[in-house]
Amino acid sequence: MPKAGIIYNDIKPTACRIAQELEQQLTERGWQVKLATGAGGILGYSQPNRPTCHTPIDHLVPPEFDDRMEFAIVLGGDGTVLSAARQVAPCGIPMLAVNTGHMGFLTETYVNHLSEAIASVEKGEYTIEERMMLTVRVYGHRDRLSTSSSVWEALCLNEMVLHREPLTSMCHFEIQIGQHAPVDMAADGIIVSTPTGSTAYSLSAGGAVVTPGVPVLQMMPICPHSLASRPLIFSDRDPVTIYPVYPNQLVMVVDGNGGCYISPEDCVIVEKAPYAARFIRLTSAEFFRILRDKLGWGLPHIAKPTSVELP
């Protein structure tokens, strides 16, 4: 019996209703269906008295989701897709993302086209697009980094952000990319993003848009204190090691979803993950079309001033 999964946003009535209907429909057509909520992939936020509270990467996989599952249908918005990616990436399960939210930048289809999409998937009429993910790990006691184990870890599809509280306060970071010489950067915060994340927070902060298939990462200072501190794009083979040069705690956020406090003796290492987010594409992936439809990139300037006769 073929096996499929459904991951849905349980705080949205529409997603809950569709998940129940879809489970019944697939079961009647001979599928073994397993349900999970997107809440299972939410990282949660640490508290000052529990600065490194987290769930290990491989513990976010929902019960009975495994590599025998042919696909998982994700019902929600971009936040649900980000959570679902952390849940299924360790098993390599492809995701069919169905937009029940607003922007839906990461989704493939809409609810009103769901029946046709499922039919195409059952017939095998689709391709799989792999998107790079990152592992973000926090290590304590930077002077014993080679022997210490991580105290916090997470999978990341969009970006990692490290900043002070409040965000409008500047601090210093010592950053090393791969084996290159360390650099010092003064800014309100630091963003390290994937190509997928280049259209998220990094874009809002002034970063470049990177097409998904390019094997690079982007480091973006938030409101840097120097004209020389600009966004940097570099090979995804190079890990990024960040040391906070600041006497108080910082805050790290992953995919805008959860994170932990970073103390002065900690360091953060960001590198390409061994897992990829696998998206089911019903048509050929056309990134520029998505940029145009979702973000208005490249639209023609059709509003032109009319000629006015002066009196």
Side-chain angles (χ1 to χ4, degrees):
M1 179 180 293
K3 186 177 181 181
I6 299 174
I7 298 177
Y8 62 99
N9 186 337
D10 60 347
I11 66 173
K12 292 186 176 180
T14 300
C16 295
R17 175 180 55 80
I18 295 171
Q20 294 174 353
E21 295 173 355
L22 193 54
E23 178 188 21
Q24 181 178 354
Q25 294 170 8
L26 290 174
T27 300
E28 291 173 351
R29 277 141 62 176
W31 288 84
Q32 181 186 3
V33 182
K34 301 298 178 182
L35 270 70
T37 69
I42 293 177
L43 300 171
Y45 290 90
S46 299
Q47 303 298 325
N49 60 337
R50 299 171 63 199
T52 56
C53 175
H54 79 293
T55 303
I57 287 173
D58 57 356
H59 290 189
L60 292 178
V61 179
E64 300 188 75
F65 277 59
D66 53 40
D67 56 7
R68 296 183 297 110
M69 185 168 281
E70 296 192 20
F71 61 87
I73 300 169
V74 181
L75 302 169
D78 288 334
T80 306
V81 175
L82 292 170
S83 293
R86 284 188 288 272
Q87 292 172 280
V88 302
C91 299
I93 301 171
M95 298 181 294
L96 175 63
V98 182
N99 187 17
T100 64
H102 300 288
M103 173 68 74
F105 198 87
L106 297 173
T107 57
E108 177 65 12
T109 189
Y110 293 90
V111 171
N112 57 338
H113 296 145
L114 182 55
S115 297
E116 298 93 327
I118 297 297
S120 296
V121 172
E122 288 184 299
K123 295 175 185 176
E125 297 174 349
Y126 63 90
T127 59
I128 293 178
E129 180 189 17
E130 294 194 347
R131 296 287 187 97
M132 176 206 312
M133 299 188 77
L134 302 176
T135 54
V136 181
R137 290 189 171 94
V138 179
Y139 292 84
H141 307 290
R142 65 176 71 180
D143 55 335
R144 298 199 303 273
L145 182 59
S146 60
T147 58
S148 64
S149 59
S150 64
V151 295
W152 194 94
E153 65 178 12
L155 276 178
C156 167
L157 179 57
N158 269 355
E159 76 279 297
M160 181 283 308
V161 183
L162 183 61
H163 63 84
R164 279 180 58 186
E165 285 187 310
L167 182 59
T168 54
S169 298
M170 188 188 68
C171 66
H172 289 262
F173 304 91
E174 184 180 296
I175 302 170
Q176 183 172 16
I177 298 175
Q179 298 301 313
H180 299 285
V183 297
D184 182 79
M185 192 167 290
D188 285 359
I190 294 293
I191 303 170
V192 178
S193 75
T194 65
T196 300
S198 71
T199 54
Y201 192 2
S202 178
L203 178 64
S204 298
V209 174
V210 182
T211 54
V214 182
V216 296
L217 303 179
Q218 181 171 195
M219 183 177 70
M220 177 74 199
I222 302 172
C223 300
H225 194 56
S226 169
L227 291 174
S229 296
R230 299 293 100 189
L232 179 67
I233 296 175
F234 53 94
S235 169
D236 66 2
R237 296 191 299 271
D238 292 330
V240 183
T241 304
I242 304 174
Y243 300 100
V245 186
Y246 186 70
N248 299 323
Q249 283 187 329
L250 301 178
V251 177
M252 184 178 69
V253 179
V254 174
D255 282 345
N257 166 259
C260 69
Y261 286 92
I262 305 298
S263 64
E265 63 271 11
D266 293 339
C267 80
V268 178
I269 297 181
V270 184
E271 57 189 336
K272 182 180 178 180
Y275 316 115
R278 308 181 72 213
F279 288 90
I280 289 176
R281 300 305 185 199
L282 303 174
T283 58
S284 60
E286 180 36 76
F287 183 65
F288 287 175
R289 178 184 59 80
I290 296 172
L291 283 182
R292 182 192 65 214
D293 294 346
K294 302 291 185 179
L295 298 180
W297 182 82
L299 288 177
H301 295 281
I302 58 174
K304 301 179 186 290
T306 59
S307 58
V308 179
E309 295 186 3
L310 296 176

